[in-house]
Every structure is written in structure tokens, then in C-alpha cells.
Amino acid sequence: MESGQKIFHSASVFQTRLKVIAVNEQLHVVYEDNVQFDKDLPEFGTQGGVHVHEDKLTVTSPVLMWLKALDCILDRMKASGFNFSKIKALSGTGQQHGSVYWRTASREVLNHLPAEQPLHIALQTCFSISDSPIWMDSSTRAECHHLEKSIGGAQVLANITGSRAYERFTGNQIAKVYKQKPKEYSQCERISLVSSFAASLFIGDYAPIDYSDGSGMNLLDIHKKTWDETCLNACAPGLKEKLGSVVPSSSVLGNVSSYHVQRYGFSPHCSVVAFTGDNPASLAGMRLEEGDIAVSLGTSDTLFLWIKDPTPALEGHIFINPVHFEDYMALLCFKNGSLMREKIRDNCSSASWEEFSNILRSTPPGNNGHIGFFFDVMEITPQVVGIHRFNAKNQKVSEFPQDVEVRALIEGQFMAKRIYAERLGYKILPQTKILATGGASCNQDILQVLSDIFNAPVHTIATANSACLGCAYRAAHGLALQSSASTFADIVKAPQNKLVVTPRPEADKVYQPLLKRYAECESEVIRASKIL
């Protein structure tokens, strides 16, 4: 590490591990390490970092495991000779939706942590619930129904909070805790998200929840940027006081506590920028700009969108933007991704990606009007299963020729992405670029279809450690905001990603009417599935 260099640090609590990254002023990684919960902390008995309960729906993680992991990783950094005094600012991320329940009087303990004790010892009695509900939990269906009914319906809830009620969202998890563990709820004086819990450990006080992570709770009014009283009251009494305030994601919460100064040698002037959720942190790590869209083409396909004027819907999520709080980000997940592509490849192109690509190159954009929906497993966006094919006259047909089937799959997947993105308020701008990652992003012919349908150039990006890196970048940005009105883009210059394809000249004329027909056919598929 060069002497005199400013270092920006991030700590991330994911499902399976705790990871740290430090970057220098040029945003180059100078240190990284991680603690694997199962392997490095076997005493907590987790599998994949979690405890799956007997009902197979309830999923939790031990709070003390997260504390001990942070102790371990900071001790390792110290033993390696890492110079903590060079860190000018730090931030971090936590798996979204998880919640931590601080026992009454724990704030006093947090304010006066003894530097000679590790965190997992000093704070071991500070939690009224020892195992935290996390994002994998799907045990709150009743609470979701109650919340939507209390607020006036799923769409009303989405209009306020950015999402309809989801079982993993924190408000519904809190409602379950209140209902099933009223004593533990009453003993709790503060409820943190995993992100604000981690930030609290660095400032030695209860850290506020940031706007962006707070958007994943079904409790925050994403327009007013305040807690919604009706949602709070529907979940549990006295909840507003237990949650505390919300702040912009770029806020400096204060300096690191004396505990970290004395135990590890941090500078007392090291700033702590609000921690956020892993999905918002990934948007920062991928360095999206206004109008950009990131498409992860993996087992599931995921879209990250930068939006100015959101229109919340029953599918997808709207969060307050983590790097520009006057804007928004959207998240869409499509369950039938690479496995569906591989199945059609096996059936229609002799299990060969080369032949699959040849078919895409040899078939016309628009597929002569043929449209397909390919859902091998129950889709989330929309909630439909099965394979549904339509000819150019919008008539259902039982099968396509193999070349038509291949193009129908890829066009259908990308038309769905554009339609659902635009329903959430996404607008393709002249400067829009698509950032593609994941397994299928190495296939130029698949990306050509993506480019044609969105009428925008496609670049490929590397997203390793995007959430953790994003918080190191956010630390640098938060510190810069203390002295200037710098934008995130001013501080974190977007890299020159590899331009792979650009849209064909006539593509927009082909796909505009086809997109309208796709939406009409989808409505028919959804109606038919409800009848069945």
C-alpha cells in the first residue's frame, strides 16, 4: 500500500460469507478477504450461511455469527499488517430484507464497547432474537395478505412502497415476530436491517436505515421518503420508534467509534457512510448511469434499471436510487433464464451453442411474426408456467419449426424484459446503454437480439464483487459530498466497457409492433392460466 494514499473500505454481510474490500484513490483494489460462515465458523451449524427450520419456510441466520465473522476478518487484516489509519471512509452492504432485533438498553453497550473484547463477546446479550429472519424466508404469507388488505390492495401498496407485499420483505417479517414472539418484540428497542446493523458496529451507535435498503421493507413511502404510518400500524405497534429515522444512502453517519480506533488503529477521522442493501450496492458497483440497464443472464435473468419517474407495478421492485436519491432504481427477476435456453438448445440445435447461434443469425428479426413464451418452471414475471406459442395471426399453435423455436425463445425473453421495464417507468434514452453480464453474455448472437429489441448498444461488463466494490465507491462519493456537490459519476468514472453489438438499422420498426402483440398474447396466456 503506497504511503499517503487515501483508502476507501467496504464490508459486506452476504448470505454465505462476510467480505471486505479496500480500494485506493484510483479505485483499484488493494485488499480483499472473506470469511465463509459454514467453513470458518462451523460452531454455528449453518448450511449455506443459514438455518432452514422444520417447516422449510422459515429461514434465519445467527446474529452472533455475523459479529464473530467481522471480528475474524478485522483481526486477519490487522495480523497482515493492513494500515487501518489510511482508511478515509468506509461503507458496506448487507443482504436485503433481513432484520436484527436489539434488546432494550443495548444502545448503552454499543456506545461503550471495551476495546479489549471482540464484538461477539461484548454484544452477546444485546439481541432479543438470536436468529435473524433473512431474505430466503417465505413463511409470512398471512402477514402479506393482511398488509395488502390494510392498505387497500396490492397495487396501492406498490404505489406507496415500490412493491406489492412479499414474504421476504422486512415489514411482513416484523409482523410475524410481533404475532409469534410478542415478548421478544416488546423487549426490542431498535430494529435494524442487516446493512444498518453492520453500520452500527462501526459507529458505536444505532445507525439509521438508508433510503435504498429501506425501500425493500414494504414500509417506506418511496416518494415522501418517510415511513408510511398505515403500513407501520398494519405490521406492529410502536414500530416507528423501533425503526428510527431514514437517511439518504450517501449520508455520512459520523466517524468510526473509539472501539475501532483503539482495537485496530483506525483514524478517529475515518468517516462512515450509510450502509445499504446488496442489490442497490450492485447498481453502484456496476456504475450504472441515468438511462442505463444492466442485464444479468444467469440461471435467473435479472434487470437493474436507473429510473427517474417510476410507475410501480405488481411485478418487480422500485427502490430509491442508492447514488442519487432523487431518482430510483428498479429490479426485475425472471426465473426461466439459462436453464430454459439450454433446454431449447438441446432440443433444437443438437445441444450446440454454435448451431444455436447459426440459427439466430439465419432467422429474421421479428421471426416472421411468431411469438413464444417458454416457462419450464413457474415464472415470477408473470406468474405462469408452460410453453405457449402463437403464429403471426395471434393464434395458438402446438409447435414451431426448430429454427423458429430458437428465435422465439430469445426474442420472447428479451421482449418480456423490455415490456416489464417500461411498465415500471423505464425509458430508453439516446444515451442508453445495456450492460450485459452472466453466462449468456458471451454469446454475441444472443446479445444482438437484446440490442435490437431495446434499440440500444450492448456492452459486456465484469461484475465480480459488484456489491462490495459498490460500497467502497459509495464511501468515496459520500466523503466527497462533505466538501462539494460531486455526483457519483464525477467521483467514480464509468469504465470503458467492451462494446459488443449495436442495434440493426431497421430493428425498431420490426419490434415496436411485435412488442405490442407480445403484450396482448401474454395477457391471453395469463387469463388462460387463471382459468386452469
Side-chain angles (χ1 to χ4, degrees), residues 49-336:
V50 304
H51 292 145
V52 179
H53 295 228
E54 286 185 8
D55 62 4
K56 305 299 182 187
L57 301 174
T58 304
V59 184
T60 59
S61 287
V63 182
L64 290 184
M65 179 181 73
W66 294 336
L67 289 174
K68 194 167 185 179
L70 184 58
D71 290 329
C72 288
I73 212 157
L74 292 175
D75 287 345
R76 275 190 208 165
M77 292 178 76
K78 184 177 180 180
S80 75
F82 185 89
N83 189 345
F84 289 94
S85 70
K86 298 292 184 185
I87 300 174
K88 299 301 178 185
L90 67 86
S91 188
T93 182
Q95 49 183 297
Q96 276 199 277
H97 316 304
S99 47
V100 176
Y101 299 78
W102 295 88
R103 191 186 298 277
T104 300
S106 294
R107 185 174 207 163
E108 185 68 18
V109 180
L110 197 53
N111 288 168
H112 300 95
L113 290 170
E116 66 276 8
Q117 286 186 351
L119 292 169
H120 73 279
I121 297 298
L123 295 170
Q124 61 185 321
T125 62
C126 288
F127 306 100
S128 62
I129 292 177
S130 59
D131 261 39
S132 285
I134 63 158
W135 71 274
M136 291 175 67
D137 188 284
S138 57
S139 65
T140 63
R141 181 171 295 182
E143 288 76 15
C144 288
H145 289 323
H146 174 72
L147 177 58
E148 288 183 347
K149 185 178 179 181
S150 299
I151 204 75
Q155 186 61 57
V156 175
L157 183 64
N159 291 342
I160 296 168
T161 70
S163 302
R164 66 175 304 165
Y166 283 89
E167 292 175 329
R168 66 186 182 277
F169 273 41
T170 325
N172 306 303
Q173 295 291 333
I174 293 170
K176 178 188 170 186
V177 167
Y178 169 66
K179 186 164 67 175
Q180 295 189 359
K181 299 180 178 179
K183 181 180 177 182
E184 288 85 346
Y185 180 83
S186 68
Q187 291 172 342
C188 163
E189 72 178 7
R190 174 60 62 101
I191 300 173
S192 295
L193 295 180
V194 179
S195 59
S196 60
F197 157 75
S200 302
L201 303 177
F202 282 99
I203 64 172
D205 202 352
Y206 292 147
I209 291 169
D210 78 291
Y211 287 164
S212 201
D213 206 8
S215 306
M217 301 175 71
N218 279 146
L219 296 175
L220 185 72
D221 186 321
I222 61 170
H223 309 285
K224 297 177 182 177
K225 299 177 176 64
T226 56
W227 300 120
D228 182 84
E229 296 284 351
T230 306
C231 293
L232 293 174
N233 293 335
C235 290
L239 186 50
K240 187 175 185 179
E241 292 73 24
K242 293 181 190 291
L243 292 175
S245 60
V246 280
V247 298
S249 304
S250 54
S251 301
V252 172
L253 305 181
N255 294 336
V256 293
S257 69
S258 59
Y259 173 86
H260 292 284
V261 174
Q262 294 168 26
R263 187 172 175 87
Y264 296 107
F266 277 86
S267 163
H269 306 295
C270 174
S271 298
V272 179
V273 176
F275 284 33
T276 193
D278 51 0
N279 288 309
S282 290
L283 180 134
M286 291 185 284
R287 304 191 233 192
L288 262 66
E289 299 175 320
E290 183 184 341
D292 286 352
I293 176 170
V295 183
S296 175
L297 300 171
T299 304
S300 296
D301 290 346
T302 306
L303 267 65
F304 293 84
L305 311 163
W306 184 306
I307 292 180
K308 288 194 77 70
D309 300 304
T311 54
L314 296 182
E315 292 86 13
H317 311 293
I318 303 286
F319 303 142
I320 297 168
N321 193 298
V323 300
H324 191 268
F325 71 82
E326 293 177 352
D327 290 348
Y328 297 84
M329 67 169 281
L331 190 67
L332 281 162
C333 187
F334 301 83
K335 200 169 186 179
N336 290 269

